[in-house]
Amino acid sequence: MKYIFSTFLLLISFTSIEASHVPGGNITYECIGSNSYILTLTVFEDCGGIASIQNSPQTINVTNSCGFNNPSIQLPVYSYGVEISQICFPQIPNTTCNGGSLPGILKHVFKDTINAVTLPGGCHDWTFYWEGCCRNTAVNLANQDGYYFEAVINNINNTCNTSPTIQANPVPYNCINVPVTYNFSVLEPNGDSLHYSFIAARELDFLTNSVLNVAYSPGYTSTSPINGISLDPNTGEITFTPTIQGAFVVVVKIEEFDSLGTSLGYIMQDFQFQIISFGCTNSPPTVPSNLITNFTGNAINLGGNSIQA
């Protein structure tokens, strides 16, 4: 509790963000049977910039390589302008979302719970994407590019699969020179295996209508978006120690595999780490050497905080 309270104090001490528009989002899907899906678009918006996400239905574009006609999708507003600013609740009136100076983030959700999207047939690469302009200014990107989120469904075997969903609310704020451990808190409703990997941030080229990888600043790449960063491919846990202040774009592909090793599709989480220095006087707690006691059962105690089953 002391660490959480100190972190909140750290965040409310921060008085400015080098940002302007959209610091992240994703597309997820829920299968309700017979190749029918409920899509959800989640977008995060920085209140310190120019408002760019309209309170109106959003168009989801669809592609496939199997020759099927692509359905037309308009997702209505499900919830709009829900503030998820990463500060303690009494300070909410003082965020940029409310005319103040503390960092403010809004969450917009677009979802049609009445009219599901019905795909006309099985294909391994039904791709749903949403794009626009512009990203927040970031240290690790060469330009202030557009944003692009996509989700892919493989229903070639008439598999009714629901994508994983991300429970954690970006945008995470972390202190410079303090070790970071971050997890998406992913919920996987089908019990499939998940694989996590870094991929490039993307944008749409409006002249050619093609998807492009954005340019990274010198010293950064899609697989190394922050110096010293690592990603556990099985748990999705991200670890690094930030040494530079500012915003860093990180994009993670979360892919599902069934028991036979067949890919069922994936979602991508496009978001930012905000590295700050204001109010960073707290020291994070250390992990005890052994967190597991009185252990019984058909598993192996690996020590520390790990059990093998």
Side-chain angles (χ1 to χ4, degrees), residues 12-286:
I12 65 175
S13 300
F14 185 53
T15 58
S16 65
I17 311 178
E18 295 182 0
S20 54
H21 300 300
V22 173
N26 60 64
I27 297 174
T28 57
Y29 51 88
E30 176 188 358
C31 180
I32 59 174
S34 301
N35 280 338
S36 294
Y37 297 84
I38 294 176
L39 298 181
T40 301
L41 167 66
T42 302
V43 185
F44 300 97
E45 187 165 23
D46 179 7
C47 293
I50 301 171
S52 60
I53 309 303
Q54 300 300 313
N55 186 8
S56 58
Q58 298 294 312
T59 299
I60 300 296
N61 299 285
V62 188
T63 65
N64 75 92
S65 64
C66 300
F68 292 109
N69 292 329
N70 295 311
S72 176
I73 303 175
Q74 287 281 318
L75 295 184
V77 176
Y78 185 77
S79 64
Y80 186 85
V82 177
E83 185 164 0
I84 58 164
S85 303
Q86 303 298 293
I87 64 173
C88 53
F89 183 76
Q91 293 294 330
I92 290 293
N94 299 318
T95 68
T96 52
C97 300
N98 301 293
S101 59
L102 301 180
I105 301 292
L106 296 179
K107 180 180 181 179
H108 310 308
V109 178
F110 304 89
K111 180 178 182 180
D112 194 338
T113 59
I114 299 176
N115 301 305
V117 177
T118 299
L119 301 178
C123 188
H124 66 282
D125 64 351
W126 284 107
T127 302
F128 305 86
Y129 70 89
W130 181 81
E131 47 72 30
C133 181
C134 297
R135 293 178 179 273
N136 283 17
T137 302
V139 172
N140 60 344
L141 298 187
N143 308 299
Q144 192 169 4
D145 306 282
Y147 45 80
Y148 172 93
F149 312 146
E150 77 175 16
V152 171
I153 296 175
N154 175 7
N155 67 336
I156 196 87
N157 295 319
N158 294 317
T159 302
C160 186
N161 180 64
T162 294
S163 73
T165 56
I166 296 169
Q167 308 300 302
N169 277 327
V171 172
Y173 288 78
N174 299 98
C175 277
I176 192 169
N177 297 321
V178 176
V180 174
T181 300
Y182 181 79
N183 194 288
F184 296 115
S185 299
V186 170
L187 175 65
E188 197 341 82
N190 304 117
D192 296 313
S193 297
L194 300 180
H195 182 269
Y196 301 80
S197 58
F198 286 130
I199 60 174
R202 305 174 189 176
E203 66 174 345
L204 191 70
D205 185 328
F206 294 102
L207 296 178
T208 63
N209 200 38
S210 58
V211 180
L212 304 176
N213 293 340
V214 305
Y216 283 78
S217 299
Y220 301 98
T221 65
S222 59
T223 57
S224 183
I226 300 176
N227 293 332
I229 195 170
S230 64
L231 171 66
D232 188 312
N234 299 312
T235 67
E237 190 165 89
I238 294 174
T239 56
F240 65 99
T241 299
T243 58
I244 299 174
Q245 185 178 343
F248 292 81
V249 171
V250 176
V251 186
V252 175
K253 176 182 178 181
I254 307 174
E255 188 168 11
E256 293 182 83
F257 294 88
D258 64 15
S259 59
L260 299 177
T262 301
S263 174
L264 302 176
Y266 64 83
I267 64 172
M268 56 183 287
Q269 173 74 338
D270 188 318
F271 71 111
Q272 291 185 353
F273 283 101
Q274 287 280 352
I275 307 304
I276 61 177
S277 62
F278 297 90
C280 291
T281 57
N282 178 67
S283 297
T286 56

